[in-house]
Amino acid sequence: MLFSSADALRQFLVPLKQQDTAVGFVPTMGALHDGHISLIRASMAENKVTVVSIFVNPTQFNNTEDLEKYPRNIDKDIQLLEQEVLAGEDISHSDSLHVFFPSVDDVYGHSVQSAEYDFGSLTTVMEGRHRPGHFDGVATIVEYFLRLVRPDRAYFGEKDYQQLQVIRKLVADKGIPTEIRPMPIQREENGLAMSSRNGRLSKTGFSQASFIYEVLQQVQSDFKNKSVEQLYKMVDLAFAKNNNLSLEYFEIAEEDTLLPLKTKENTKAARAFIVAHIEGVRLIDNVAMKP
Ligand code: AMP
């Protein structure tokens, strides 16, 4: 079913909660692609009912132009869900998949503002440092949705790995009884991580953007034999030689704390993270380091 108001969704969920029906939740900003679809499929496999939210959350954008240019097409999204997930079934009659697309007013009323959170060092690095206020915006909207939907499980992509860790801390700190389920990154054939922002790239840009994953793979395969310092130098050099993309940051960080890895000794699980720009589009990606 389709819900545009929080009240209607809340009412719909009351009897399901009473019957202990397993509810899965997938928050998205729409412009759906196979990355989102993989989360939705996972939720549908593990829960009787899945709620997908489609909401471009203004408080998590620290750049007005990025917010304005963010692709929005709810009709196309619903069509895609019917084709890809429901195999032609009309979503307004489906009893397993429900789409919630509230308005900014409905969510925020007249005060489009984030709540304040303290996620410690999780938000002082990478996206937290480069996008001030971003995670307060993310946490505000995710907390709002989790309290509204009260899902048993919520699904988040590892593509936004820092976001995943922040949400894990959010539910732990606030005692929200939802299991957070991480899902692997889905990629285009050329290796580029799927993203709603990819649609803003020209054909050439799309093809050139595969460089990000190529570099990450290089880091992954050199991780055993090179020092952390050598890996940073290698990535800097690779981007310096590439005229199409500009590197915003590269970081190798511990998965748990997201603090930069200083040395490989006694290393816990680690990941390499890249944010780069091409044709005015900001792209994010990461890969796990194999010890
Ligand atoms: P977004 O609509 O970009 O806010 O993303 C909604 C959810 O889909 C987030 O949990 C993302 O991490 C996840 N997601 C986005 N792109 C991908 C991808 N390529 N593979 C897996 N998950 C993704």
Side-chain angles (χ1 to χ4, degrees), residues 14-23 152:
V14 169
L16 296 180
K17 285 277 132 195
Q18 284 166 351
Q19 292 153 22
D20 255 352
T21 304
V23 175
D152 297 275

Side-chain angles (χ1 to χ4, degrees), residues 26-39 53 55 60 70 155-161 163-164 181 183-188 192-198 284:
V26 184
T28 82
M29 297 205 296
L32 300 180
H33 50 70
D34 283 352
H36 298 116
I37 301 289
S38 71
L39 270 57
S53 63
F55 181 66
Q60 72 187 68
Y70 202 87
Y155 296 76
F156 291 87
E158 288 181 340
K159 171 162 171 280
D160 302 286
Y161 197 83
Q163 167 174 286
L164 169 68
R181 303 276 290 123
M183 292 291 136
I185 301 174
Q186 303 298 310
R187 300 184 176 282
E188 303 288 352
L192 175 64
M194 288 180 177
S195 164
S196 304
R197 290 187 170 91
N198 293 353
I284 183 166

Side-chain angles (χ1 to χ4, degrees), residues 211 233-243 245-247:
F211 184 73
K233 277 195 184 136
M234 179 187 87
V235 173
D236 275 345
L237 193 67
F239 275 92
K241 281 191 197 154
N242 185 312
N243 295 325
L245 286 110
S246 70
L247 180 66

Side-chain angles (χ1 to χ4, degrees), residues 5-155:
S5 96
D7 279 344
L9 178 65
R10 198 179 285 113
Q11 273 176 29
F12 167 79
L13 291 167
V14 169
L16 296 180
K17 285 277 132 195
Q18 284 166 351
Q19 292 153 22
D20 255 352
T21 304
V23 175
F25 176 55
V26 184
T28 82
M29 297 205 296
L32 300 180
H33 50 70
D34 283 352
H36 298 116
I37 301 289
S38 71
L39 270 57
I40 296 167
R41 287 223 171 94
S43 173
M44 290 178 76
E46 293 179 345
N47 305 279
K48 191 148 186 275
V49 163
T50 290
V51 177
V52 177
S53 63
I54 296 182
F55 181 66
V56 181
N57 174 35
T59 61
Q60 72 187 68
F61 285 80
N62 56 324
N63 177 326
T64 329
E65 196 188 341
D66 192 24
L67 173 61
E68 277 162 11
K69 285 193 175 164
Y70 202 87
R72 295 164 173 87
N73 193 337
I74 186 81
D75 294 338
K76 203 169 152 206
D77 284 344
I78 288 166
Q79 217 179 8
L80 184 80
L81 291 175
E82 284 170 347
Q83 274 165 11
E84 294 291 313
V85 186
L86 295 174
E89 198 186 328
D90 182 348
I91 221 167
S92 55
H93 293 114
S94 159
D95 60 3
S96 55
L97 181 63
H98 306 279
V99 178
F100 178 45
F101 54 103
S103 66
V104 173
D105 270 2
D106 202 15
V107 171
Y108 285 101
H110 294 300
S111 170
V112 187
Q113 274 183 346
S114 301
E116 275 178 34
Y117 296 86
D118 182 2
F119 296 114
S121 60
L122 273 187
T123 49
T124 57
V125 293
M126 297 192 286
E127 295 299 274
R129 190 151 62 88
H130 288 259
R131 301 181 70 185
H134 171 66
F135 286 119
D136 276 347
V138 169
T140 301
I141 193 63
V142 172
E143 184 174 1
Y144 169 86
F145 283 142
L146 292 180
R147 292 197 188 282
L148 172 70
V149 179
R150 295 183 293 145
D152 297 275
R153 302 178 188 88
Y155 296 76

